[in-house]
Amino acid sequence: MSETDRLARQIAFLLDADRLKTILRRTPLADNSRLENSAEHSWHLALAALTLREYAPSGTDIAHAVALVIVHDLVEIDAGDTFAYAVDGQDTKAARERAAAERLFGLLPPDQAPSFRALWEEFEAHDTPSARYANALDRLQPLLLNMESGGGSWTAHGVRRSQVVARMQPIRDWVPEAWSFVVDVIDRACALGRITPD
Amino acid sequence: MSETDRLARQIAFLLDADRLKTILRRTPLADNSRLENSAEHSWHLALAALTLREYAPSGTDIAHAVALVIVHDLVEIDAGDTFAYAVDGQDTKAARERAAAERLFGLLPPDQAPSFRALWEEFEAHDTPSARYANALDRLQPLLLNMESGGGSWTAHGVRRSQVVARMQPIRDWVPEAWSFVVDVIDRACALGRITPD
């Protein structure tokens, strides 16, 4: 592969990745003006990874965790965003996302594709401290937006308290210093009728 | 400061930072469906920093360059986005952005604020290899979007060829392997009437 072809493939990948800006999540922005997209969500996670580094699990490589969150949602370009609290789509999610990873990372030069795919797989497996930190942030950030926007996807979709608590377990397990804050947010949202009681 | 107050300040910072998603740039998305916002732009730069690492200036710390691009536009929350090709606003930009940095990074715990402010200052000064790489990407990424969207901000604002070439100099200086690609993009955009000839 010539130098020119190599750069052309990398740029084709970056232009395809641009479509992540058009994938809408169920969570609104903090100001409740519109739904968040997956590209700006990924940026917000990267900023959170830098900001909350002191709470990361022992052994976390912060720079690596940032790379994980930058890449973690790219498969949604083909596979779409599967709502965390939905029943539909969860069973086919893995297959759709694997096919998306194959195509999308396959746009890169062949020697580069595996390292990007490995970032996505590491995030999904949450077997490393960096991936556990990244996954915990991926739960905390929408909680912050639902809290700030007045209920967000919790209220819009009638999500129950036990569902939210279950969804937030990666924070309890891997970023325990933030857990009492999370429980407090959930309790206040329940008291305000923004989360449905069990 | 108690542990609780410390986390509360970090979360206040992250929620304030959410407003970067509402700051619109002049560049459209690649599919030309709408203007890009500064948060998703910052994500795209981070992905570009990971993807194009082989072209970074000698001495670049890629993880550090990623941190620079994640933080680089936060001041726009207060100061707004100043269009690169505009005459108006360039003289007051520095003062507006310094005041924004003071307020925004001041939301963080006092021991943490300086390291975030330092990232923004390093990006702005472009005196380090990592900052030069980050700045070159900040020029390349909108070129890709203008190219793909059919002219974008170049056409919408009647930007001249010499202005674009001048704007892209950080790429020639710091990521020279991408320069012939950039010149080719500019030449084609001129031939198609998307950039105004000099």
Side-chain angles (χ1 to χ4, degrees), chain A residues 6 10 51 54-55 112, chain B residues 6 10 51 54-55 112:
Chain A
R6 189 172 171 81
Q10 290 158 332
T51 305
E54 69 202 71
Y55 313 108
Q112 201 170 15
Chain B
R6 189 170 172 82
Q10 291 159 331
T51 306
E54 68 203 70
Y55 313 109
Q112 202 170 13

Side-chain angles (χ1 to χ4, degrees), chain A:
Chain A
M1 186 178 296
S2 73
E3 276 288 327
T4 310
D5 288 348
R6 189 172 171 81
L7 180 61
R9 288 186 77 138
Q10 290 158 332
I11 285 170
F13 168 75
L14 290 172
L15 283 171
D16 203 284
D18 197 67
R19 292 157 60 208
L20 195 62
K21 300 168 188 170
T22 69
I23 305 295
L24 293 185
R25 294 166 50 81
R26 308 296 173 104
T27 318
L29 300 193
D31 68 3
N32 207 22
S33 57
R34 62 168 171 82
L35 294 179
E36 189 187 37
N37 72 60
S38 292
E40 62 198 4
H41 160 70
S42 300
W43 164 79
H44 211 178
L45 293 191
L47 185 68
L50 296 175
T51 305
L52 303 176
R53 58 192 305 154
E54 69 202 71
Y55 313 108
S58 170
T60 298
D61 174 337
I62 296 295
H64 191 64
V66 169
L68 293 174
V69 300
I70 294 300
V71 167
H72 84 293
D73 268 347
L74 277 173
V75 295
E76 294 181 0
I77 286 171
D78 290 349
D81 177 48
T82 305
F83 183 42
Y85 297 106
V87 177
D88 291 355
Q90 299 292 351
D91 51 342
T92 63
K93 179 172 183 270
R96 283 183 287 123
E97 292 192 347
R98 268 198 310 278
E102 196 67 34
R103 187 196 69 78
L104 184 71
F105 300 128
L107 296 172
L108 287 165
D111 65 303
Q112 201 170 15
S115 68
F116 276 75
R117 186 175 174 128
L119 289 171
W120 171 66
E121 287 174 347
E122 181 179 345
F123 179 89
E124 288 292 313
H126 40 75
D127 281 338
T128 63
S130 300
R132 289 173 174 177
Y133 180 49
N135 273 275
L137 296 173
D138 192 37
R139 308 300 169 98
L140 180 65
Q141 186 261 1
L143 175 123
L144 297 180
L145 295 187
N146 279 343
M147 170 186 89
E148 193 73 3
S149 63
S153 64
W154 295 329
T155 310
H157 301 281
V159 176
R160 295 193 316 280
R161 188 182 195 284
S162 58
Q163 291 178 288
V164 179
V165 171
R167 180 81 189 149
M168 296 300 145
Q169 289 312 299
I171 303 174
R172 192 184 69 173
D173 294 344
W174 300 325
V175 185
E177 288 175 272
W179 185 244
S180 69
F181 167 82
V182 168
V183 171
D184 187 50
V185 168
I186 294 171
D187 285 345
R188 277 185 289 131
C190 285
L192 291 164
R194 294 169 178 174
I195 292 175
T196 306
D198 289 302

